[in-house]
Amino acid sequence: KAEGDYRELIRAVQDLRKQQGLTPSDVISVTVSPAIETLLAPFMDDFKKTVLAQSVVVDDAEVNVSITH
């Protein structure tokens, strides 16, 4: 189940990237809730590599994607 939820999160982040007009080479910062961080913990390195995230910030907000310069 955790792997399925992880794949759904990857898809959601990739959709957010597309909605914001980001290119596949744009490095991003991702903000996630504490619950999502718990899901991501075992997959963190793969997650950062897959979505090209420089950082993953934990906040009580919904998942958010922003460009990192």
Side-chain angles (χ1 to χ4, degrees):
K1 178 160 173 36
E3 287 182 29
D5 291 343
Y6 170 66
R7 284 191 299 273
E8 286 183 36
L9 178 63
I10 293 285
R11 183 188 52 74
V13 170
Q14 299 296 37
D15 286 347
L16 286 171
R17 288 178 66 103
K18 185 176 179 181
Q19 289 172 10
Q20 293 186 14
L22 301 177
T23 67
S25 63
D26 286 333
V27 177
I28 61 172
S29 176
V30 180
T31 303
V32 298
S33 69
I36 299 295
E37 180 193 31
T38 301
L39 166 72
L40 273 180
F43 307 104
M44 189 62 75
D45 290 337
D46 183 65
F47 177 76
K48 286 180 175 180
K49 185 174 101 177
T50 300
V51 301
L52 201 57
Q54 177 180 338
S55 64
V56 176
V57 178
V58 179
D59 193 352
D60 287 329
E62 295 180 18
V63 174
N64 184 28
V65 173
S66 61
I67 275 186
T68 303
H69 293 282

